[in-house]
Amino acid sequence: MEIIRTEALIKDYELGKVKVRALDGIDISINSGEFVAIMGPSGSGKSTLMHIIGCLDSPTAGEYYLDSVLVSKMSKSALAGVRNSKIGFVFQSFNLLPHLNILKNVELPMMYGGLSASKRKVRAQEILEGVGLADRLKHKPGELSGGERQRVAISRAIANNPSILLADEPTGNLDSQAGGDILEIFDRLHKEGNTIIMVTHDPIVAERAQRIIRIKDGLIDNGDLDS
Amino acid sequence: MAISIAESLHIGLSDITTRKVRSIATIFGIILGVISILVVLAIINGMNASTLTWMEQRGGTSKVDVQRNWNYDFSKGGEANLSLAEVEQIRKMIPEAVAFNSQVSLYSHNELKYRGLSYYSTVSGVLPDYLQVENWGVSEGRFITDLDVHESSNVIVLGSSAARDLIGTNDVVGKKISLGNNVLEVIGILDEKSWDNKQSGSFGGNMLEYMNQQSFIPISTAINRFDNTMKVSSLQVTAQSPNQALTLQKKLDQILLNLKQGREIFRVSSAQEGIMQMQANARIFSMVFVLISAISLLVAGIVIMNIMLASVKERTREIGVRIAVGARRIDIFIQFMIQTVLITTLGGVLGIGLGLLILDNISAYLEMEMIVDFRIMFSSVLVSVVVGLVFGIMPALRAGNLDPVDALRED
């Protein structure tokens, strides 16, 4: 089943008086349960594409269907709902809230989703136990190693059972040992049926994916036939 | 799906507690502003209450007084008194008055004598209604009655100090004292009048002590047995209500002008008029100080706004993260609004606490009455909430309008 489809996605940025085209007509299709890597040099538009897929940004033109719903024309507050329930983000720099303990960090999307305090606590505990952080629940992110922090971030990303997991260079700030552990977790999540889209420039990381989408100058480099 | 207010409150509170020093710095201006509001309102409140007590002691808020107009130039003719016939005429023209007294003063007879002791007292001839128009009562015995007036009885009612100093404190009623060539029977003692303006020195003490040194006989006794040329020099009337008093005041003024051929020989005043004057004064006083407080709160508000703007800037990435996991603009907006309002409200509450502490000390030092009631505390808190709402809007809007992509890129 197709979970993501974009049709002729175009994104322009205004830099002063100059108009820069970041995406120049991207057509991609990703099925539910797929593990896809998006690769490309910096400035290729892969980050822009990820932002649009993640509903953090809207395309200038073109259409984007997520779960068969046209989200490219949605209002900003409707997009917030989509991000909350259908998308889980994992960032290169973790992006955990430093003042909250890791339990609260994982609860955050569930809080904005309107889940009751007791339910989200149980769920957050469950997920964190699943990534081996059961004994760290009350720790602040600053007290954890990079690998542990990224495990918290993954836990937060899957808290609301999203349709897709969007990971932006998830191992970029980690040593190879911790990075390997994180990729193991992504493998496991994939085997459990999650759809994973990972932006990376590391070919070794990309090899984990079933399929690689290469972006160059705002266009798909060699199509979605590459695998 | 929106997050609940309770959730936002929780976020706001934990934000404040994790940034304690900043929160205290932010709060400081508000605390000072609220303290100044509290102190000023308490002073005004105290002044009003004190003046009202004075009014009550002087005959209540429905009283209307007719007295000689000391500004009148008597070379233009006329006399500053009323004949008994004129008094009766006036009385008939104001049937709406609930109490009516006419008064003569025995300036020529003021030495009360009892068993070789003498006591100098201002002796007035009055009607039975005097007790009511002055809001007074007797502590022992009785006051002058209609029968006393009708028969020009040789009776006298003493003020509390006069009774104590002349006769003592036991069995005063029934004693016979002499005034001029007449022997009068003491039929009653008046309640003690007291009003302390809480000032020290020569202006301090009981401001109404002079009333306790007075004594009263029936008006008919004064005229028939002491001086039959004596005329009425003042009237006191009680209206049905403080508002009626103003109407009655105007009416009496008109009656007296007609009676005296348009000459302003008498001045008609009402307690209500005095209260309105006092309120007008208090209003000016409070407006000046409220303005000063408002300026200090404005400054406090601007400080808060700047600190919150800096806070939004500093927490850009956090805001980006919240947006990424599903917070809507309104959620972010509310989060920052609530935080600002919580800070200012906390400042308001602390300001009230400190203000009460300060008031306690300065009111003892200044010997001034200052009254803080629930209304004042409520409005102080309300003002701090409003400051938070007004000055929280800009930072909250800025936070809510952040672009998530830019916000997440921020270091």
Side-chain angles (χ1 to χ4, degrees):
Chain A
M1 196 192 88
E2 190 176 54
I3 197 150
I4 284 176
R5 191 172 87 242
T6 70
E7 290 171 3
L9 272 192
I10 289 174
K11 181 69 183 178
D12 291 330
Y13 287 111
E14 310 240 345
L15 287 174
K17 281 178 184 163
V18 190
K19 201 184 259 183
V20 177
R21 179 150 288 191
L23 298 180
D24 195 11
I26 299 263
D27 301 296
I28 52 173
S29 165
I30 296 170
N31 285 325
S32 178
E34 258 195 292
F35 186 166
V36 177
I38 296 177
M39 290 191 76
S42 53
S44 62
K46 65 179 193 299
S47 290
T48 305
L49 179 62
M50 198 203 71
H51 290 145
I52 291 173
I53 291 175
C55 294
L56 288 169
D57 209 346
S58 296
T60 311
E63 272 148 19
Y64 168 30
Y65 294 89
L66 174 61
D67 250 352
S68 313
V69 177
L70 182 65
V71 293
S72 46
K73 300 279 191 294
M74 276 189 179
S75 72
K76 285 186 168 163
S77 95
L79 284 178
V82 172
R83 282 196 299 275
N84 184 257
S85 60
K86 299 199 167 177
I87 296 161
F89 287 99
V90 180
F91 301 95
Q92 178 175 8
S93 50
F94 324 125
N95 277 338
L96 300 173
L97 301 191
H99 300 294
L100 302 181
N101 65 35
I102 67 171
L103 194 64
K104 294 279 178 201
N105 264 286
V106 176
E107 283 183 30
L108 206 59
M110 296 186 270
M111 183 194 83
Y112 286 113
L115 208 62
S116 76
S118 54
K119 278 184 187 162
R120 63 189 192 230
K121 191 176 176 187
V122 171
R123 167 97 176 121
Q125 240 162 345
E126 207 177 272
I127 304 169
L128 284 167
E129 277 164 20
V131 296
L133 292 170
D135 54 340
R136 300 292 184 89
L137 302 181
K138 299 288 174 192
H139 288 242
K140 299 269 172 74
E143 299 159 1
L144 304 181
S145 71
E148 287 169 326
R149 283 188 230 180
Q150 197 59 300
R151 278 188 267 161
V152 176
I154 294 171
S155 304
R156 181 179 67 190
I158 61 176
N160 278 345
N161 285 318
S163 308
I164 54 170
L165 268 179
L166 267 181
D168 184 7
E169 304 275 11
T171 58
N173 281 9
L174 303 175
D175 59 44
S176 55
Q177 173 68 44
D181 291 347
I182 291 303
L183 291 174
E184 289 295 319
I185 293 174
F186 277 109
D187 279 341
R188 201 185 80 210
L189 290 170
H190 176 226
K191 288 200 183 82
E192 288 168 7
N194 290 286
T195 310
I196 297 167
I197 300 165
M198 192 179 285
V199 175
T200 183
H201 63 266
D202 184 346
I204 299 164
V205 172
E207 269 173 24
R208 298 267 184 154
Q210 295 171 300
R211 178 156 73 103
I212 298 174
I213 297 173
R214 291 178 202 278
I215 309 284
K216 197 180 170 191
D217 299 329
L219 286 162
I220 293 185
D221 200 4
N222 44 5
D224 52 357
L225 297 170
D226 189 304
S227 57
Chain B
M1 183 79 78
I3 64 168
S4 67
I5 294 294
E7 209 75 73
S8 307
L9 273 173
H10 182 78
I11 297 174
L13 266 180
S14 57
D15 281 348
I16 288 168
T17 46
T18 47
R19 297 176 172 81
K20 289 185 194 70
V21 176
R22 168 172 293 184
S23 300
I24 289 167
T26 315
I27 270 176
F28 202 67
I30 273 280
I31 293 178
L32 290 180
V34 166
I35 287 177
S36 65
I37 287 186
L38 194 77
V39 170
V40 167
L41 291 182
I43 290 174
I44 292 167
N45 226 13
M47 281 181 2
N48 287 353
S50 172
T51 315
L52 276 179
T53 329
W54 160 263
M55 293 281 180
E56 274 314 315
Q57 286 288 313
R58 288 292 289 107
T61 48
S62 303
K63 192 185 176 196
V64 181
D65 268 298
V66 177
Q67 278 171 321
R68 177 180 165 174
N69 177 9
W70 293 93
N71 292 327
Y72 180 70
D73 177 5
F74 282 93
S75 66
K76 289 176 186 163
E79 278 179 46
N81 51 45
L82 297 161
S83 69
L84 285 179
E86 284 173 322
V87 169
E88 201 47 37
Q89 197 183 338
I90 293 170
R91 183 179 199 163
K92 286 205 177 101
M93 288 169 87
I94 49 165
E96 67 269 36
V98 295
F100 182 95
N101 179 56
S102 56
Q103 188 164 344
V104 299
S105 297
L106 277 77
Y107 296 114
S108 50
H109 300 86
N110 60 3
E111 189 181 7
L112 302 177
K113 285 184 181 162
Y114 175 71
R115 289 186 185 168
L117 286 173
S118 29
Y119 184 86
Y120 290 92
S121 171
T122 309
V123 183
S124 303
V126 296
L127 290 170
D129 272 1
Y130 180 76
L131 213 53
Q132 194 180 343
V133 295
E134 282 296 338
N135 228 9
W136 215 341
V138 287
S139 61
E140 268 178 65
R142 62 173 177 86
F143 197 67
I144 295 157
T145 60
D146 286 328
L147 190 66
D148 293 325
V149 176
H150 189 252
E151 297 189 344
S152 306
S153 313
N154 277 334
V155 294
I156 188 165
V157 177
L158 300 176
S160 59
S161 297
R164 190 182 57 241
D165 293 352
L166 185 63
I167 304 172
T169 48
N170 293 325
D171 297 327
V172 177
V173 174
K175 293 284 189 303
K176 299 262 199 283
I177 62 171
S178 54
L179 174 64
N181 298 325
N182 291 282
V183 173
L184 304 169
E185 182 187 346
V186 178
I187 53 167
I189 304 171
L190 290 161
D191 289 332
E192 186 177 347
K193 286 262 183 190
S194 167
W195 185 78
D196 197 334
N197 69 351
K198 300 257 168 66
Q199 299 222 335
S200 51
S202 52
F203 294 108
N206 182 3
M207 298 291 285
L208 293 175
E209 174 55 23
Y210 76 95
M211 292 190 79
N212 298 326
Q213 298 168 357
Q214 292 178 305
S215 43
F216 301 92
I217 60 176
I219 189 168
S220 50
T221 310
I223 293 169
N224 297 336
R225 304 203 191 278
F226 287 91
D227 182 355
N228 58 14
T229 63
M230 210 153 39
K231 286 186 171 180
V232 173
S233 55
S234 68
L235 301 175
Q236 294 97 31
V237 180
T238 305
Q240 275 166 328
S241 68
N243 278 335
Q244 295 273 320
L246 287 173
T247 320
L248 193 58
Q249 181 191 0
K250 286 197 194 96
K251 190 172 169 185
L252 268 172
D253 203 30
Q254 218 46 56
I255 291 171
L256 284 157
L257 278 175
N258 287 338
L259 212 56
K260 295 292 176 189
Q261 292 84 38
R263 297 188 177 106
E264 293 175 355
I265 296 174
F266 287 95
R267 197 177 103 74
V268 185
S269 60
S270 67
Q272 192 57 24
E273 185 188 42
I275 288 171
M276 283 161 68
Q277 183 62 46
M278 166 192 99
Q279 283 168 342
N281 289 344
R283 212 170 295 135
I284 293 168
F285 185 73
S286 48
M287 265 163 61
V288 169
F289 281 90
V290 164
L291 195 72
I292 293 170
S293 307
I295 291 170
S296 76
L297 283 171
L298 182 77
V299 173
I302 291 170
V303 168
I304 288 167
M305 188 171 75
N306 273 304
I307 295 179
M308 288 308 291
L309 282 172
S311 178
V312 169
K313 174 87 181 140
E314 183 191 288
R315 295 165 67 184
T316 300
R317 193 174 258 270
E318 173 196 329
I319 295 163
V321 172
R322 288 183 185 271
I323 293 174
V325 301
R328 296 169 309 160
R329 284 163 192 285
I330 185 82
D331 294 326
I332 303 292
F333 178 82
I334 289 173
Q335 177 188 339
F336 278 88
M337 274 311 272
I338 283 185
Q339 200 182 329
T340 314
V341 172
L342 270 178
I343 286 178
T344 57
T345 309
L346 194 66
V349 172
L350 286 175
I352 287 175
L354 283 171
L356 289 176
L357 212 68
I358 290 171
L359 276 179
D360 242 21
N361 290 306
I362 63 168
S363 70
Y365 177 69
L366 293 176
E367 294 181 334
M368 223 164 130
E369 193 168 9
M370 299 183 186
I371 300 170
V372 179
D373 54 21
F374 176 74
R375 199 171 47 91
I376 292 182
M377 295 201 264
F378 180 76
S379 38
S380 302
V381 173
L382 193 71
V383 163
S384 31
V385 170
V386 168
V387 168
L389 285 174
V390 170
F391 293 96
I393 286 176
M394 249 259 275
L397 272 180
R398 188 166 292 183
N401 283 333
L402 280 175
D403 180 72
V405 174
D406 293 338
L408 284 168
R409 207 177 280 141
E410 189 86 12
D411 286 319

